Amino acid sequence: MGPDMTSRTLIVSAAQLGPIPASARRAETLERLIKLLEGAAKEGTQLVVFPEAALTPFFPHWLVRDEDELHSYYEKDLPGPDTQALFDAALELQVSFVLGYAERTEDERLFNTAALVDEHGKVIHRYRKIHLPGFQTVQEKAPFQNLEKRYFEVGDLGFGVQPWRNTKIGLAICNDRRWAETYRVLAIGGAEIVCLGYNTPASTPHLPESDALVNFQNHLSMQAGAYQNSMWVIGTAKAGTEEGVNQIGGSAVIAPSGEILAVAKTLGDELVTTEIDLDMVTRYRREIFNFAQHRRPEHYRSIARPLS
Ligand code: CDV
């Protein structure tokens, strides 16, 4: 008998990664991902969420001068020759996964992308990051860069929602998790689970007063999004010191109640696995955040009108 595709309970894993050195070969990195996928399958997981840019170091943290080096960070095909083994493992293990990667399209457009891959190893959904933080140009005095606006275009696919098993999944990427609109648009689209990966420095050069709050604000964003939209959020970090930049961990699975059900303990490769009840979404959406009964978008415009 195959897996029960109608079940409203699932086991999910945030597959946190430690740093990926610039010197790492893609095959080495893929081995780490496959090991996590295998570990998750042993724990009975149906859905694994990998971080943003899970195949490479987070290269927007520095100015890449060499064109060949820059090209090496993007995937032209997914799956491609360097990533096929991960897709084969998903099929063999019957596990679905979400993978963040840098995408180069056929017409040479560049996006910060996440793909949802089903248990047959097929890409069934793509999302391209909309809220790109950082700068186009190098910040001379900064200890490290965020050049996402240089290396990527703003995503052009909107916040899509993908039916999967007996639920609907929405994807987001890193900085998207700080924006209320991300979760609200996905919730309006019917998403019950939001999967997102992140690369978040432990310090913010332009706002040092927030440095002591980085871990708090990471969880705050995801917990608020989960609660205010009655959804499960699976957030996965690329953590630890990568090419000189310290990144937070804190990968977590968060319930529609806003509670963190499971959280990473390390800054390295680690699975954060827990069972989730999708009917909790239904209950919260029926009893508290019943959009149809209580949400009043037609009145929100007047609040923004100037008083004078
Ligand atoms: N990769 C990211 O989007 N990082 C941002 C940092 C730059 C603030 C984040 O929101 O975590």
Side-chain angles (χ1 to χ4, degrees):
M1 204 173 72
D4 177 6
M5 294 293 177
T6 64
S7 175
R8 292 287 286 168
T9 58
L10 292 170
I11 302 177
V12 301
S13 297
Q16 180 174 285
L17 286 170
I20 299 176
S23 59
R25 285 177 301 110
R26 194 62 55 86
E28 284 172 52
T29 306
L30 213 70
E31 264 176 42
R32 286 169 61 186
L33 271 66
I34 292 171
K35 199 170 158 208
L36 286 165
L37 204 71
E38 287 169 348
K42 277 201 188 107
E43 293 177 354
T45 291
Q46 285 101 30
L47 177 65
V48 171
V49 180
F50 291 110
E52 173 187 37
L55 300 169
T56 61
F58 196 66
F59 60 94
H61 281 161
W62 66 91
L63 177 65
V64 184
R65 294 179 192 279
D66 183 81
E67 277 295 302
D68 290 341
E69 181 193 343
L70 186 59
H71 281 197
S72 76
Y73 294 130
Y74 295 89
E75 306 302 310
K76 251 206 121 112
D77 303 301
L78 195 86
D82 292 339
T83 50
Q84 184 63 51
L86 180 65
F87 288 71
D88 295 345
L91 172 63
E92 193 185 318
L93 300 165
Q94 292 285 291
V95 174
S96 301
F97 67 88
V98 173
L99 180 74
Y101 66 103
E103 177 189 9
R104 174 185 292 272
T105 66
E106 266 181 19
D107 53 352
E108 302 295 317
R109 297 175 71 197
L110 308 175
F111 296 100
N112 187 342
T113 300
L116 170 62
V117 178
D118 72 8
E119 70 279 5
H120 308 297
K122 292 267 169 293
V123 175
I124 56 169
H125 182 60
R126 269 197 176 83
Y127 165 71
R128 293 172 173 157
K129 185 173 181 179
I130 290 174
H131 300 102
L132 294 175
F135 303 91
Q136 250 282 335
T137 55
V138 170
Q139 304 301 291
E140 292 299 344
K141 292 199 177 113
F144 58 88
Q145 306 295 318
N146 182 304
L147 296 174
E148 286 189 63
K149 287 191 170 71
R150 184 183 189 97
Y151 296 141
F152 304 116
E153 274 180 54
V154 172
D156 61 350
L157 301 177
F159 283 111
V161 170
Q162 176 63 39
W164 171 82
R165 290 189 171 230
N166 197 9
T167 185
K168 286 182 181 160
I169 291 184
L171 304 181
I173 301 178
C174 195
N175 195 259
D176 289 321
R177 77 193 186 289
R178 302 186 193 276
W179 298 86
E181 295 88 341
T182 299
Y183 308 91
R184 183 51 51 96
V185 172
L186 289 172
I188 288 170
E192 295 188 316
I193 308 175
V194 175
C195 304
L196 64 92
Y198 55 92
N199 281 268
T200 298
S203 64
T204 309
H206 300 280
L207 191 63
E209 71 191 71
S210 74
D211 286 357
L213 303 172
V214 174
N215 285 294
F216 165 72
Q217 288 166 346
N218 173 41
H219 285 158
L220 175 70
S221 307
M222 296 191 288
Q223 289 179 264
Y227 175 64
Q228 293 179 340
N229 297 283
S230 308
M231 37 187 20
W232 287 91
V233 174
I234 308 168
T236 307
K238 169 121 64 57
T241 305
E242 186 183 81
E243 298 300 318
V245 181
N246 297 330
Q247 301 207 120
I248 63 167
S251 303
V253 180
I254 298 158
S257 59
E259 294 164 288
I260 295 177
L261 282 210
V263 65
K265 297 178 185 69
T266 72
L267 292 178
D269 292 9
E270 180 182 346
L271 285 169
V272 178
T273 299
T274 191
E275 185 173 277
I276 68 172
D277 170 13
L278 294 168
D279 284 338
M280 199 169 171
V281 173
T282 315
R283 293 193 295 277
Y284 268 77
R285 284 188 181 167
R286 188 179 60 220
E287 304 302 335
I288 302 183
F289 292 105
N290 189 323
F291 285 2
Q293 276 182 24
H294 308 304
R295 206 172 153 263
R296 291 286 171 262
E298 67 278 20
H299 288 273
Y300 299 158
R301 267 170 292 133
S302 61
I303 293 166
R305 234 177 255 148
L307 286 176
S308 58

